[in-house]
């Protein structure tokens, strides 16, 4: 029974370490496409206002893109970049990642949403069923016009991106940004508490 307890505890610790190892801030951030590699596919810049409007549609854009069967390399690379960048931005869950240009996650949010917009525009040039696509494009266009946000700029609004140049939040900037730091610390504490309670439950489980 003791061996089973150690094995289960070890598995929980391994999962926790895996989550931490997946956190990209251990790698130095690129400063944007102007200083990074240009070997990939260029992605046009996105204004702060466009980003705020497109963000709620990210899931629908990716879901629709994943349902496309007849794709080309450009489309697949743009979609892959958007999904990887979304992960680096912690799936858009960090507070202020969209609205706060001082957030260390704001630049990478620009990157994955600019890529999502590029994916959407790329889909419009492809053959296939376009009813759902046209409805989504019309909805986003209407939201941009209704909110009059497309001209609102921030310091990353003029930055273009490239599929060969991933944008990662800088660890130093995360430490200096109170909301981001507190959110990450809270998440780590929740994970530690979860591991502790799970390990305690395994120790007190009745022997078979």
């Amino acid at each position: 029974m003791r061996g089973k307890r150690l094995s289960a505890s070890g598995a929980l610790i391994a999962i926790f370490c895996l989550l931490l190892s997946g956190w990209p801030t251990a790698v130095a951030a690129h400063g944007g496409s102007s200083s990074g590699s240009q070997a990939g596919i260029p992605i046009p810049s996105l204004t702060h206002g466009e980003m705020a409007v497109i963000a709620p549609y990210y899931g629908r854009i990716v879901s629709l893109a994943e349902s496309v069967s007849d794709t080309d390399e450009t489309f697949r690379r743009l979609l892959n970049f958007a999904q990887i960048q979304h992960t680096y931005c912690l799936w858009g869950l960090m507070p202020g990642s969209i609205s706060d240009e001082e957030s260390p996650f704001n630049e990478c949010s620009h990157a994955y949403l600019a890529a999502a917009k590029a994916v959407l525009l790329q889909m419009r040039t492809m053959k296939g069923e376009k009813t759902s696509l046209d409805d989504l494009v019309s909805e986003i266009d209407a939201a941009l016009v209704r909110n009059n946000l497309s001209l609102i700029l921030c310091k990353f609004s003029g930055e273009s991106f490239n599929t060969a140049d991933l944008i990662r939040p800088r660890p130093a900037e995360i430490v200096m940004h109170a909301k981001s730091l507190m959110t990450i610390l809270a998440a780590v504490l929740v994970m530690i508490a979860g591991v502790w309670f799970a390990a305690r439950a395994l120790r007190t489980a009745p022997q078979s």
Side-chain angles (χ1 to χ4, degrees), residues 40-41 43 58 61-62 64-85 115-116 118-123 125-126 162-164 166:
I41 300 169
I43 300 172
Y58 172 82
I61 293 172
V62 170
L64 187 60
E66 289 177 333
S67 69
V68 176
S69 56
D70 186 13
T71 63
D72 56 27
E73 182 181 359
T74 297
F75 178 80
R76 290 190 295 270
R77 290 175 69 182
L78 286 171
L79 178 58
N80 185 59
F81 178 84
Q83 292 173 309
I84 292 174
Q85 280 293 166
V119 167
L120 187 64
L121 296 178
Q122 185 73 12
M123 277 193 287
T125 67
M126 300 166 65
N162 192 285
T163 56
L166 291 170

Side-chain angles (χ1 to χ4, degrees), residues 37-61:
S37 172
Q38 297 296 310
I41 300 169
I43 300 172
S45 60
L46 192 71
T47 69
H48 192 70
E50 286 179 308
M51 182 174 70
V53 170
I54 292 175
Y57 294 97
Y58 172 82
R60 289 175 60 185
I61 293 172

